[in-house]
Structures are given as structure tokens and as C-alpha cells.
Amino acid sequence: MARMLAILITFFFLLTACEDSESALPDSIEQPPSSDQSQDSGDTENEVMTITPLMISNGEDVQFIDWTSNEEVIYISSYNGESSINLYNLVSGENNPLFITQGFIQIVEVSPDKEQLLVQVSSIDHEATLHILALNGKQLSTINIPSSEIYMDWNEKNPSQILVTSFSEDWSFQSYLWNIETSELTTLQIEQPFSEWIGEESLQYLDWNVEQPELLAPLKRMDLDSNDLSVVTKDIYYTKSYGDWFFTLAPSSQNEDKGVYQFYNATSGQIGSFTAFHLNRFSEWVVPYHDFVESENRFYFFQPLEGGDIDFYEEDFVLSSYSLTNGDTNIVMEGLENKPLQCSPNGGYCLYGYQLEQVISIQSGKVTSLISEGIKKADAM
């Protein structure tokens, strides 16, 4: 049970860190391209945006969530005891409230197809209320689940299905399959609470030993049609699925300060890998913040310039990208902090920061605030 609590805390408060600089980068890392070279990005000269920062009131708290298009983002606003979910156009400054409630909005997630929102609002004790909203604010599905905490994973290949795991106060859990078209919940029997969709009909998870703390665990996959269970790979620290493919993070057998990123197609096996420095906190790894741009087939991630204990790390981080198409790894930008990242569908820009309150231009390397300070103005990127 202690291990289960540790896993839960790690999942909800995961910090991250990732890639190196000119003097310390692995051989596979390429330096930024010169101005006359193409960077294989959706951000071209004809697509450069002029960002209109969001004007907020004194005392208003804002949390940006994700992109719904290459110009529009979802954000949560909390002000005077009221919370709202809003659709904001970064170019025009048009702001459309989609959902307003008294109290606190706990979770908002944009669907893989960018057409719906998953929303959890505060409700009565030991119960979670979950809504599915269209981008015009229309409620499409609502369920109530007994729980103290909730974990959810949206099926990227079939957006009508969401995995929901509810936790009790003693951290016991129950997993469900939520069909948002029918609002039906189906009970699932899964060994671990933090499973992820891989493909359309399978789930996979790290099978941690709850009785004895471990640094590594086997990655297992369960087919929902047959309930067949298989071991995908062993001795993994972290994994993340993106529909038809996933990556794992494991220790390097050649350098204790480095980790190995391995990329797999769900059906055909390994498709690429690279090594990068990693940082530790006590007995845990600090997993790097990262995101994937499907239109470019490119994985974006942070890396430190050296390995070791994060409490003694004083350097900046490098934002880099890895192509799943040809295996190229390139530096995007240096001198950044390791903070959450959400990239636009075309890969031209990334929301950045603990509230995703800034925008990184992949082409120019410029970082712009999304929140205006007093006077509403436009910043060209």
C-alpha cells in the first residue's frame, strides 16, 4: 500500500527534466539549423502569428490547458468563487466562455481529435462529477463516480472511450470503461490503476510491486476483447502511450547518469532509441517534460546538461526534438527551465510553463507571455 501511495503521488506531481548542450550533448544531437535550413516545422514565415495576450482582472487565476487548433487554446479562469472554461483565440483575442460553475474545476482535458472536452468539477465528498463538452459548450455526457481521486486516459484511436480509475481514501481503486456516446460505465479488472490505451482495444501499464518499493517494473499489455495479458518489455521506469506507438524510459547499461528512450510501434516493435542525461531526486528519477506532434511525427522533450542529483543541478535545460520518421534529434532552444509543454497541432508553437502561460515559437525561439499586464497589446512572434 505504501508503494501504491508513492505511485499516486509521483503520478500527480511528476516533475521532469531532459536534454544536453553543445559541450555535453550525445553525438546524435544536432545543433540548431542555420537560418537558411528547413527545420521541418509547421511554423513557416507565412504562418508566423501575432499573439494577443489575454487581459485578466486583479485576483483572477488562469490555467491554460491545451490547443484546440493552431490558433485557439482552452483555459480555466477562477475569480470571485466562480470558475469558467474558455476558448481563446491567440491571434484575434476573441474569448468564448464554454462552461461556468460555482466552485472549483479540477480537471479539463482536450480530446485527442480536438473536438471535445473532459471536465471534472468539485461535487459532494467522495464523488466525482465528469462531463463531456463539445467545443461550443454543449454537454454531451455526464456521469458521477464514487471516488476521492480520479485518473483518466482518453482513447486516442477511439475518442468515444475513456478509461476512468477511481480511488478510495485507502487508495484502493476500481477501473471503468466510459462510453461517452451512451454514458455507460463498464467495470474493468486491471492489476494497476494507471493504465494507458495502446491502439484501439488494448491497455498497458507498468506492473509495480505494491509490497516492495522498486525502481523498475515490467511493462504489461491487456487485450480488452480476449483479456489476454502479455509482457511487452522489462525493467522500465516510465512509459507514455500516443495511440499506435509508445516510448519507455530505462537506465543506460553504459552510463549511470543517462537514461535510454526507446520508441515502439504497438504492433511492429521498436522503431528507434537514444540516450540522454537524467536527474534524480532521492531514489526517484526526474522524468522530463515532453510532448508529441503527430503532424510532424516528432517528439519534443527537455534534457539537462549533465546527470546527477536535481537538488545540486544549477544549469539550464535544452528543448530538443526527435523524429520518429528518420531518428534525427535536434536542438530547438537552449537556456530554458524544465516546465510543462503542450505543442500546437502543426508543431509551430508550444504552450510552456507551470500554468502553460507562455508560448514558445519553434521557428524563432522567442518566448511570449499569454497574459497581459494591465494594457492589452499584441506581441509579434
Side-chain angles (χ1 to χ4, degrees):
M1 194 58 64
R3 179 61 181 172
M4 182 64 69
L5 178 58
I7 295 172
L8 181 65
I9 294 173
T10 299
F11 180 84
F12 284 111
F13 299 98
L14 204 57
L15 293 176
T16 41
C18 199
E19 185 148 319
D20 351 40
S21 153
E22 185 169 358
S23 62
L25 288 171
D27 293 338
S28 60
I29 303 291
E30 297 182 6
Q31 295 303 306
S34 60
S35 58
D36 61 343
Q37 289 179 301
S38 171
Q39 184 144 348
D40 189 25
S41 169
D43 183 12
T44 66
E45 284 189 16
N46 294 329
E47 296 172 334
V48 170
M49 288 195 297
T50 298
I51 302 296
T52 302
L54 173 69
M55 174 76 81
I56 65 173
S57 304
N58 290 333
E60 181 180 2
D61 291 326
V62 169
Q63 170 71 60
F64 290 90
I65 301 300
D66 201 354
W67 304 81
T68 58
S69 70
N70 292 318
E71 295 183 355
E72 294 179 311
V73 297
I74 294 293
Y75 76 92
I76 303 172
S77 171
S78 299
Y79 185 65
N80 285 342
E82 186 176 83
S83 297
S84 64
I85 300 171
N86 305 271
L87 180 65
Y88 184 70
N89 189 299
L90 299 183
V91 177
S92 68
E94 182 179 356
N95 191 35
N96 293 313
L98 304 179
F99 181 86
I100 300 174
T101 184
Q102 297 296 317
F104 183 61
I105 296 174
Q106 296 173 293
I107 294 174
V108 177
E109 184 176 333
V110 179
S111 66
D113 58 11
K114 307 295 185 183
E115 295 182 358
Q116 299 171 327
L117 302 177
L118 169 59
V119 180
Q120 180 188 354
V121 298
S122 57
S123 54
I124 64 175
D125 289 343
H126 311 302
E127 183 177 81
T129 300
L130 307 178
H131 302 282
I132 299 296
L133 306 180
L135 290 186
N136 61 7
K138 180 182 179 181
Q139 293 197 38
L140 304 177
S141 182
T142 300
I143 59 170
N144 295 297
I145 298 180
S147 68
S148 295
E149 298 285 350
I150 285 286
Y151 162 78
M152 291 168 286
D153 190 62
W154 214 317
N155 190 331
E156 294 204 21
K157 306 305 295 181
N158 182 358
S160 67
Q161 295 184 329
I162 299 176
L163 172 71
V164 180
T165 299
S166 65
F167 294 89
S168 302
E169 288 186 329
D170 63 358
W171 301 117
S172 59
F173 68 92
Q174 177 61 60
S175 294
Y176 304 90
L177 176 61
W178 179 15
N179 186 320
I180 63 177
E181 293 182 348
T182 63
S183 295
E184 293 179 339
L185 280 177
T186 303
T187 301
L188 298 176
Q189 300 302 321
I190 310 176
E191 295 178 347
Q192 297 287 342
F194 302 118
S195 299
E196 292 185 309
W197 292 99
I198 183 69
E200 186 172 347
E201 297 292 341
S202 297
L203 297 168
Q204 63 184 31
Y205 54 86
L206 290 176
D207 192 16
W208 297 104
N209 186 337
V210 297
E211 303 298 332
Q212 181 178 351
E214 297 175 320
L215 180 63
L216 306 175
L219 178 63
K220 293 185 177 181
R221 183 178 301 170
M222 185 177 74
D223 184 281
L224 293 183
D225 286 335
S226 64
N227 287 324
D228 288 344
L229 189 64
S230 60
V231 176
V232 179
T233 186
K234 297 180 179 179
D235 297 329
I236 300 303
Y237 181 76
Y238 176 83
T239 186
K240 175 64 179 175
S241 170
Y242 291 94
D244 282 331
W245 73 274
F246 64 97
F247 81 92
T248 62
L249 182 56
S252 168
S253 60
Q254 300 178 347
N255 188 332
E256 64 179 9
D257 285 335
K258 291 189 175 184
V260 180
Y261 289 75
Q262 298 187 79
F263 298 80
Y264 298 86
N265 182 282
T267 56
S268 62
Q270 186 170 330
I271 55 178
S273 68
F274 63 84
T275 61
F277 285 116
H278 74 83
L279 297 172
N280 301 313
R281 174 176 283 113
F282 303 110
S283 61
E284 303 285 343
W285 279 24
V286 179
V287 179
Y289 286 114
H290 49 268
D291 197 21
F292 175 63
V293 177
E294 184 176 6
S295 63
E296 294 184 304
N297 209 25
R298 187 168 289 274
F299 176 73
Y300 289 86
F301 62 102
F302 286 103
Q303 182 180 8
L305 306 182
E306 60 188 29
D309 190 326
I310 193 172
D311 292 331
F312 299 100
Y313 184 73
E314 298 179 349
E315 304 294 332
D316 293 323
F317 290 78
V318 175
L319 175 61
S320 296
S321 69
Y322 174 79
S323 171
L324 273 69
T325 302
N326 57 30
D328 289 343
T329 308
N330 298 296
I331 294 175
V332 175
M333 190 173 177
E334 300 176 329
L336 293 173
E337 296 182 63
N338 176 45
K339 294 180 180 180
L341 197 71
Q342 288 279 11
C343 297
S344 61
N346 67 359
Y349 297 86
C350 294
L351 301 178
Y352 170 67
Y354 293 116
Q355 281 74 48
L356 296 176
E357 73 282 6
Q358 297 176 300
V359 176
I360 295 174
S361 169
I362 298 300
Q363 181 186 45
S364 69
K366 183 177 179 180
V367 181
T368 299
S369 175
L370 279 180
I371 299 176
S372 64
E373 299 180 359
I375 300 176
K376 193 171 185 179
K377 58 183 180 180
D379 274 343
M381 298 183 68

